[in-house]
């Protein structure tokens, strides 16, 4: 389907085939983005909208329409991490395979094509509140 591509850093250039916790989901596929559940969990707009509503509800915030591509992209990354690793708490940052990042960016592109990329928890300062 999409496959791995070039990423800005070595840390971000990981292939889904290199992630042990994805083995059972790959079912002999060449790429996790070919798995139908990837499409359902990470790219389906209704699933993402529900995840966004749940997230803002916990934060006692409101959803602003229309949803931006950036918000959909960040939610899709979060969905993938929960789906694969079942862990995403404060300070836990896990590199997402290049194929997944590129598939999500294709589906929800940033105007101008400038993306932040992966920042581990050491480079991301904790800001209370």
């Amino acid at each position: 389907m999409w496959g791995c591509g070039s990423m800005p850093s070595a840390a971000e250039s990981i292939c889904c085939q290199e992630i042990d916790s994805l083995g059972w989901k790959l079912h002999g596929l060449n790429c996790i983005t070919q798995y139908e559940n990837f499409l359902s969990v990470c790219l389906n707009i209704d699933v993402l909208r529900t995840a966004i509503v749940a997230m803002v509800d916990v934060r006692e915030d409101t959803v602003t329409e229309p949803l931006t591509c950036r918000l959909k992209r960040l939610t899709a990354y979060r969905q993938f991490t929960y789906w694969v690793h079942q862990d995403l708490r404060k300070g836990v940052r896990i590199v997402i395979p290049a194929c997944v990042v590129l598939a999500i960016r294709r589906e929800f592109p940033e105007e101008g094509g400038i993306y932040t990329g992966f920042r581990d928890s050491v480079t991301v300062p904790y800001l209370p509140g």
Side-chain angles (χ1 to χ4, degrees):
M1 191 177 243
W2 289 289
C4 291
S6 178
M7 298 301 282
S9 72
E12 294 172 276
S13 298
I14 189 168
C15 175
C16 63
Q17 296 285 338
E18 299 175 69
I19 298 176
D20 292 337
S21 56
L22 275 176
W24 68 274
K25 286 179 173 44
L26 286 170
H27 299 290
L29 297 171
N30 292 325
C31 183
I32 193 62
T33 61
Q34 296 172 329
Y35 188 36
E36 66 183 72
N37 287 352
F38 169 78
L39 301 174
S40 299
V41 171
C42 301
L43 299 182
N44 181 294
I45 192 64
D46 291 324
V47 171
L48 295 178
R49 183 179 306 282
T50 302
I52 291 166
V53 168
M55 185 171 47
V56 299
D57 184 50
V58 167
R59 294 179 181 171
E60 297 180 358
D61 205 350
T62 57
V63 177
T64 304
E65 296 286 347
L67 300 177
T68 64
C69 280
R70 181 177 188 275
L71 181 57
K72 292 176 205 171
R73 213 173 36 253
L74 295 176
T75 304
Y77 298 149
R78 180 178 289 273
Q79 286 286 102
F80 178 81
T81 304
Y82 278 129
W83 181 53
V84 173
H85 303 288
Q86 290 89 43
D87 191 11
L88 189 63
R89 57 188 176 239
K90 190 173 285 196
V92 174
R93 300 237 173 192
I94 301 170
V95 177
I96 298 170
C99 54
V100 171
V101 171
L102 294 173
I104 291 169
R105 286 179 180 177
R106 259 194 268 310
E107 192 71 20
F108 310 112
E110 185 65 30
E111 192 173 315
I114 306 294
Y115 299 94
T116 302
F118 178 75
R119 298 183 320 181
D120 66 31
S121 59
V122 174
T123 61
V124 179
Y126 170 70
L127 301 174

